[in-house]
Amino acid sequence: MAEQFKLVLKNADSPGYTPDMECYLKHGGYQALRKALATAPRDLPDGKKLSPQEVIRDDVKASGLRGRGGAGFSAGLKWSFVDRRSGKPIYLICNADESEPGTFKDRQILHKDPHQLIEGMVISCWANDVKLAYIYIRGEMPHGARILNQALREARAKGFLGKNILGVGYDLEIHVHRGAGAYICGEETGLIESLEGKRAYPRIKPPYFPAVLGLYMCPTIVNNVETLAAVKHIVEMGPVNYAKLGTPNNTGTRLVSLSGDVQKPGYFEIEVGKVTLGQLINDANFGGGLKPGRTLKAVIPGGSSSKVLKAGEVFKLKRKGADGQMTTVDVPLLDLPYDFDSLQAAGSMSGSGAIIVLDDSRSMVETLANLSEFYAHESCGQCTPCREGALWLAKGTHRLSHGEGRKVDAEYLLHIAQNIQGRTICAFGEAAAWPVLSFVKKFREEFEAHGAAAEAARKNSTSAGTHQH
Amino acid sequence: MPTLILNGQRRECPEGLTILTACRSLGIEVPTLCHDERLAPTGGCRLCGVEIEGWNHHPSACNTVVHDGMVIRTHTTAVEQQRRTLLQLLADGYPADAVTAAPDKEFHRWLIHYQITPRGRLATDVDPAHSQPPFRDTTHPYLRADFAQCIACQRCVRICDEVQGRFVWRAWNRGDATRIRPGNSPILLASDCVSCGACVDTCPTGALEDQSIHHKGRPTAWTQTTCPYCGTGCEMSVGTRAGQIVQVLPVRSAAVSRGHLCVKGRYAFDYNHAPDRVTEPMIRDALGWRKVSWDDAVAFVAHRLGEIVRTSGPDNVGVLGSARGTNEENYVAQKFARVVLGTNNVDACARVCHAPSAAALNSQLGTGAATNSFADIEHARAFLLCGTNPTENHPIVGARILQAVQRGARLIVIDPREIELARSATVHLAVRPGTNVLLLNALAHVIVEEALYDVPTVEHRVAGWSVFREFIRAFTPESVAEVCGVPAEAIRRAARIYATEAPAMGFHGLGLTEHAQGTEGVMCLVNLALLTGNLGRAGAGVNPLRGQNNVQGSAHMGCEPDHLTGYTPLEFGRAQFEAIWQAPIPHQRGLNLMQMMDAAAAGQLQALWAIGYDIALTQPNTSATRAALARLKLVIVQDLFLTELAREFGHVFLPACSSFEKDGTFMNSERRVQRVRAALPPAGRSKSDWEIISAVATAMGSQSAFAYSSAEAIWNEIRALWPAGAGISYARLESGGLQWPCPTENHPGTPILHVDRFAHGQRAPLQCISHRASHEVVSTEFPFLLTTGRTLYGFNAGTMTGRTPNRQLRRTDTLDMAPVDAERLSWREGERIRVQSRHGAAVLPLRIDPRMRAGDLFATFHTVEAALNQLTSPYQDPLTRTPEYKRVAVRLIRETALESERAPADGVR
């Protein structure tokens, strides 16, 4: 039976574990920071010498850590893009604007084990010559902000933060900034604008790559809460041991938020790729299976913006055989390992690690209408296709779900969604379009049936004067 | 240089361009809506999406940078279909009639191009959740908003932020419910809007439009010319229709203004068509003003002037050139005085403003003009502003400085008031009026004491270092802090910033020059630049901001009693000028404007010819001025309007053209000569100043020397006499202005002076300037210190702005007082206050202004009613005779109380 692997959440849920400094220290807290600050320079085989900071950066790269916020981009590589020659200060921002529907994993760290995040941040800041960092926490999480501020005060009092950290002459300040109540504030350039006190309008790339022109037009690193917490463990265990967790190219552990039509919704920590979607849904250690008498209809595997996967789908995945040869194998939906690459190969993504399970009681039309309404509401309004298109998608799905649609609406929704994706400043365009594209393509008959039924109903009651759209 | 395959053709383009810029430079038009080259790209409208081989989406051309080998297709079926879809999305709900009403608007052009008809907003479109109506505002005299036509491109929001720095427009709500409205007020008039019109200029739909278009219709002809207001030298396109100006737009390619204008340049043009514009020559007799023919007017002037010259001598006549006139006209005016009349009594209004700057810069550095260019603003790491309020008086310069500061440049503001830029300043030194020399010396003291000076400059380019070092020892910040009203620590901070944030650029205005120590004040500023090496390099310098469009030019063309054209000293240029003029130049030193007034008062000046200059209103100490003017036997007024000078003292009125009605050149603050072009024929029978003067010269017997065929012919004569301007031909000016020195026709002009050496030699002297206290002292009898100045919506005596809707934006002159003083006196805003100085009195409505410091007052002089100069003193800078407008001790009496005979009177001691 598949099991959880608790690394980041090792202590958080232990009975009696509290978010204060004393408890954290009792559980070995801030030892990783001490270890990091004592890192020795490293000589490379080619004769080059790495400074202690470069050693940590190198280790993070070697650990294979991939961003836990959504895109799954290599954290070490992201750090390596930072412009270190600009003469400008480098900023680090912890993205704690957790707001992808279905995602509730960062708050476990923030609420229950804040010092773990802070320790990971101080190490990351030190490794990147950052003197000022921010935690941008979702506005709707005021309790988390209070906990973080308390933890920061404790860290300052203990000399883990502030001037001359642990006597090594390194200064760092971290501020908590509460978000402005919009989904788009979680998009990294929107977040930066918001942190600067402006509307969270995402910035166009080029030129505004955060690593070069980020906060206050200075080089900036934006990392997710879980990513920064993982840095602490990479330092503690060493990159080689960390990389042994999980599967190749999908290393370490990952927090998964499981919701929807399962018996035991909740959050779990797993080794990346060591547990399948089916195990997450059905095993007693995880979701505990569907509700009695229900069958699986679909899975949204990586937060609401990821493409839906249909029950019974079989995917072609490339696998490395024992002989080292790459072969293509058929993998049914429930046998998909929950990792970055497998989900991508299945045409979706593991995104923020949020799995939403839909059983046969669910109407795909209503579910999509719900999602589309969310994206129409959250579109920032900067780009024409998204601003206008997201509303059209919401209107189209609304009328289908309210018995006012047409059969051609399925095609109409696809047309609009195709005109949004790839045509916006930020990835919100995709986030709004992908659910529509996948829902309608995979459940086309259901959408067309809704439209056709509505058309038939209207035909029967034309005398009642139902207005046409 | 990257090579591209652009629509199948191999093209080369410079490194670093965006695809859009590259396409435009190669003549390929890619549609855009949210793009404006004045703004940073945001990539929101997506209309400029293009296909790039190997890319899986259509990137926006406005921000994507070209790379070598890129294969770009701008008009494939797919991208064209994408554009059509986008336009359809935008056209849905867009008012259908807007397109036919203004088919030239950017958005409408694309709708027509892609054959998309707006559907118009239907009742079913109105979603209760998104029901906030679009913003509409027709109350502003210049701007008109109807956001039913808004396509949310945000160009108005961005241009207000990124160019003007006012942050008036704001996007409310999000997604499809996005509404653009002013951020802090229900209408523009009550918002922070400074009426620059940039948002109107950039709007691609007509959601924002000029009121004049609604009232008068669209222009039918356009003329590019230079702004008639301040000395910044903005270029503008003047749109005319049926003989009237109906719209003014900024010129995108303009060197200085770069596609921006302020409210005065863009909107305050109605004076040109004011009902009281005088367009007929007039002579005053016992019955009053009487219209006459030009022949009669010219004959009258020639006869009377000739008579006075014959009977009393040429030095009984004075001529005043005009800062509003062109270089050519000022040249002709001074030539007339010297050649026809035979006197050096010729001056212009530079006397009362920046003569100290010219004198100080000339004596210390060898050239009496700004050392650097406005383009240097983007290179400066720090600014030192002294006695200048650029966001109101040189708004385009002010906006550029503000943008630089918002990008991180440091800013030191020396000004008694908390002017707009002071709010963005790193250090604001709220100096007591009249103590500039002390404060600037204290800055120099810190730079010397803390060894922050630039050693190479001090060693190689400065004279008098050791003497200066000893001299400055006494000026500790602590010793001047109290007199200057500035904390010592703030002085030290400012000095450190100016000395260490190199390059640091200095701008100064009349708050430095219109003092009894005006010239010496500028010298103290030059000292600072010399000490810190802030001369001869980009982003540095000492730069006077000239108050009027051609005040630099009027003096430089020779309207100066002891200088000929090109600021050439009289005796130095005599031989050359006499050769070209074929006439002797008088040896007798001329009288400057202040001396002319003194001579008139003493009966030693009998005639005055004032060209575009209302000295009755603008000279200090009105009662003395009026007494002097009343003694003149002949006052010739050449102007657009019956000014106060004409009304009270004029004998003959010669109607002049406005700068919209003539050709010529202006010279801006940074030595840039730019073309003035006639957008309209002369109003009525008005004539160019040079035509009028030439006619009088001819009537007085100097035919050949004044037989000019055009402004260009005059300019070519100027070039022959002025070596530094010899290379500036009208032909070259067709493609933008040129900065002198520009000695030859292939010389590019000189943006920065003193790069390797100073005009007079290798080393420039540091000047040891001691402080002299003003005669205007605060006492128990006169407890307040008054300074005078201009505001955004007013311009000098209000001759122009007072005849435009600017009067609605600022209705009256005011007396500005600190809230703490008003509180102490229990006076309310709007009460009429009699302001009494030792020299006179004026009555002004009170305005309570939190920018004022207790004990200081500020008042404007834009209206005839206020006649503020009744208060100002006879004291002058002894070096240039520039009046001390900026410091008058006054007492205040509440008029309202006097009128109602309340006792005791609210006299304030």
Side-chain angles (χ1 to χ4, degrees), chain A residues 181-182 199 201 204-206 208 376-385 387-389 391-392 415 419 422-425, chain B residues 40-46 57-58 60 63-64 82 85-86 89-90 92 130 151-152 154 171-176 178:
Chain A
R199 278 172 77 87
Y201 275 160
I204 189 93
K205 302 174 209 173
Y208 303 111
H377 180 63
E378 294 294 348
S379 167
C380 80
Q382 218 185 168
C383 304
T384 312
R387 179 181 68 237
E388 311 290 337
L391 183 76
W392 285 28
H415 174 71
N419 274 296
R423 292 166 189 189
T424 52
I425 292 170
Chain B
T42 56
C45 78
R46 311 310 293 181
H57 68 289
H58 299 160
S60 40
N63 69 296
T64 308
Q82 176 180 332
T85 306
L86 288 168
L89 287 168
L90 291 169
D92 188 60
H130 300 156
I151 55 168
Q154 313 241 4
W172 296 84
N173 312 324
R174 62 190 184 218
D176 180 69
T178 301

Side-chain angles (χ1 to χ4, degrees), chain B residues 214-459:
Chain B
H214 280 264
H215 298 318
K216 297 176 185 167
R218 296 191 181 279
T220 52
W222 291 97
T223 310
Q224 188 170 327
T225 188
T226 305
C227 180
Y229 282 99
C230 78
T232 303
C234 302
E235 289 178 77
M236 53 204 226
S237 280
V238 178
T240 51
R241 180 191 180 99
Q244 283 220 333
I245 303 170
V246 294
Q247 191 178 33
V248 169
L249 294 178
V251 173
R252 300 278 180 106
S253 61
V256 176
S257 43
R258 303 192 299 190
H260 192 28
L261 289 173
C262 75
V263 59
K264 288 180 281 248
R266 195 171 195 285
Y267 290 120
F269 50 76
D270 275 359
Y271 69 88
N272 204 63
H273 316 298
D276 64 341
R277 170 100 185 257
V278 183
T279 57
E280 307 270 343
M282 298 193 297
I283 293 173
R284 176 142 69 183
D285 57 24
L287 297 172
W289 289 105
R290 161 172 67 85
K291 288 179 188 171
V292 296
S293 70
W294 268 112
D295 286 347
D296 289 352
V298 167
F300 176 86
V301 171
H303 170 72
R304 293 294 309 275
L305 279 178
E307 200 173 52
I308 290 168
V309 168
R310 261 195 321 279
T311 55
S312 313
D315 291 331
N316 265 272
V317 184
V319 175
L320 295 177
S322 176
R324 324 237 60 80
T326 62
N327 291 317
E328 292 78 359
E329 291 165 338
N330 281 289
Y331 170 80
V332 170
Q334 58 90 33
K335 183 178 174 186
F336 174 85
R338 291 179 164 124
V339 170
V340 180
L341 298 174
T343 178
N344 285 313
N345 291 352
V346 59
D347 206 0
C349 74
R351 180 65 42 209
V352 299
C353 61
H354 268 297
S357 298
L361 289 163
N362 193 49
S363 78
Q364 266 178 295
L365 307 178
T367 304
T371 62
N372 288 58
S373 301
F374 294 129
D376 287 17
I377 290 171
E378 282 74 33
H379 301 290
R381 289 185 56 197
F383 296 95
L384 175 61
L385 266 51
C386 187
T388 178
N389 182 9
T391 53
E392 293 204 59
N393 299 330
H394 303 87
I396 301 309
V397 179
R400 279 176 70 174
I401 294 174
L402 185 61
Q403 292 301 330
V405 170
Q406 282 171 356
R407 282 192 303 269
R410 300 303 171 99
L411 173 64
I412 304 155
V413 171
I414 302 179
D415 199 290
R417 295 188 301 152
E418 198 194 5
I419 55 172
E420 185 188 343
L421 281 174
R423 275 178 258 157
S424 307
T426 324
V427 186
H428 174 208
L429 305 174
V431 66
R432 270 284 199 185
T435 60
N436 290 329
V437 165
L438 279 176
L439 180 64
L440 295 172
N441 277 350
L443 291 170
H445 171 94
V446 177
I447 290 167
V448 172
E449 182 204 62
E450 299 189 4
L452 303 173
Y453 50 85
D454 185 62
V455 176
T457 309
V458 167
E459 278 180 2

Side-chain angles (χ1 to χ4, degrees), chain B residues 513-578:
Chain B
T513 60
E514 285 179 345
H515 280 290
Q517 278 192 289
T519 307
E520 291 171 314
V522 180
M523 287 175 172
C524 292
L525 207 57
V526 176
N527 285 347
L528 292 177
L530 282 171
L531 287 171
T532 52
N534 275 310
L535 284 169
R537 59 189 291 198
V542 178
N543 302 285
L545 286 173
R546 311 297 306 248
Q548 302 187 52
N549 53 340
N550 203 33
V551 64
Q552 175 85 43
S554 59
H556 214 84
M557 288 300 110
C559 287
E560 271 263 333
D562 38 10
H563 289 98
L564 297 164
T565 310
Y567 217 66
T568 312
L570 205 52
E571 292 313 319
F572 187 79
R574 173 180 300 281
Q576 189 202 3
F577 279 73
E578 286 182 344

